[in-house]
Amino acid sequence: EADIYQTPRYLVIGTGKKITLECSQTMGHDKMYWYQQDPGMELHLIHYSYGVNSTEKGDLSSESTVSRIRTEHFPLTLESARPSHTSQYLCASRRRGNTEAFFGQGTRLTVV
Amino acid sequence: SQQGEEDPQALSIQEGENATMNCSYKTSINNLQWYRQNSGRGLVHLILIRSNEREKHSGRLRVTLDTSKKSSSLLITASRAADTASYFCATEPYYNQGGKLIFGQGTELSVKP
């Protein structure tokens, strides 16, 4: 059973609002990831971190920002939400080395 | 696609048949992994194969890796209706020390009872 949690599961928010998607893991994993996925489509890496105080942008340009102040917590923030941000956001974590990733259940964001 | 391309994009088979999905990638890798996703939920890890391995088995799953062709295949034997899901390959590029993990576009598998 994966100990990685995302909140909220579903969020409907108005254009221009600031939102933070939460992701927490209790496995002590160094590496954490945020992916964006539209229905039936591939996962796009938008941010990742390989440890506390490290954050890197992924391959998909994103207007979101992330922080990694604690090992277990990797929140993603949108300063001003737009309808184009409507998507599913998946968080994952893994240990160092050749290891598997564990995924949260995702946050489905709708910006109206 | 960012790194991996999978084919076919969709596959429909009868229960009991074997399902084969292929993944190609562009750069040298540390490892290649296969994941399963049900109905847009979070992904579940199936199997990991390291760059120095050529074949790996786990239950009804068989994965092969050909680093010279930069390709991998996932075989599911004796498929069941419960295997219906989307399957993704993911690669960890060799050049990236930060543990970047890049996913392909996925194969949607439908197993009919």
Side-chain angles (χ1 to χ4, degrees):
Chain A
E1 189 74 21
D3 294 321
I4 178 164
Y5 308 100
Q6 289 186 243
T7 57
R9 287 291 311 279
Y10 302 94
L11 180 62
V12 180
I13 199 164
T15 297
K17 298 290 187 185
K18 176 180 178 178
I19 56 169
T20 295
L21 308 185
E22 301 288 349
C23 177
S24 295
Q25 50 95 5
T26 58
M27 298 173 280
H29 289 170
D30 290 308
K31 298 173 184 176
M32 296 190 74
Y33 308 82
W34 277 104
Y35 294 89
Q36 184 175 340
Q37 183 186 35
D38 292 320
M41 303 290 283
E42 70 183 284
L43 281 75
H44 293 279
L45 179 65
I46 50 176
H47 297 283
Y48 65 104
S49 165
Y50 48 86
V52 171
N53 294 325
S54 87
T55 59
E56 301 284 345
K57 289 189 182 294
D59 296 321
L60 181 68
S61 176
S62 174
E63 293 160 349
S64 58
T65 59
V66 291
S67 61
R68 189 87 184 277
I69 298 170
R70 302 198 316 265
T71 297
E72 61 271 20
H73 198 213
F74 192 41
L76 181 145
T77 297
L78 277 167
E79 291 292 333
S80 179
R82 295 209 302 267
S84 60
H85 296 138
T86 294
S87 189
Q88 171 156 258
Y89 293 84
L90 293 167
C91 179
S93 72
R94 59 196 282 244
R95 288 181 288 110
R96 293 180 187 182
N98 290 306
T99 60
E100 66 195 273
F102 293 88
F103 278 80
Q105 289 300 303
T107 293
R108 191 167 295 280
L109 172 67
T110 302
V111 183
V112 298
Chain B
S1 175
Q2 301 171 71
Q3 162 79 327
E5 301 241 345
E6 294 178 62
D7 82 275
Q9 289 194 10
L11 179 61
S12 182
I13 59 174
Q14 294 294 129
E15 214 167 22
E17 294 180 341
N18 295 341
T20 300
M21 289 160 263
N22 303 296
C23 170
S24 61
Y25 56 93
K26 297 173 184 172
T27 65
S28 296
I29 58 172
N30 288 329
N31 62 74
L32 185 144
Q33 309 182 29
W34 286 89
Y35 289 80
R36 166 190 169 131
Q37 184 181 39
N38 285 85
S39 303
R41 296 174 67 86
L43 279 73
V44 175
H45 180 262
L46 295 175
I47 197 164
L48 179 152
I49 187 165
R50 300 180 186 211
S51 60
N52 61 353
E53 297 177 311
R54 292 297 165 259
E55 189 171 311
K56 207 160 182 183
H57 297 255
S58 177
R60 293 184 296 113
L61 305 180
R62 173 179 169 254
V63 168
T64 60
L65 178 64
D66 187 335
T67 53
S68 66
K69 295 181 180 177
K70 291 188 171 58
S71 68
S72 173
S73 67
L74 171 68
L75 168 67
I76 303 174
T77 60
S79 62
R80 306 166 182 166
D83 294 329
T84 295
S86 293
Y87 292 81
F88 293 86
C89 69
T91 54
E92 181 178 351
Y94 176 76
Y95 62 83
N96 182 274
Q97 298 305 308
K100 201 173 181 180
L101 195 59
I102 303 174
F103 282 78
Q105 67 207 36
T107 293
E108 196 171 330
L109 174 66
S110 174
V111 181
K112 301 187 187 310

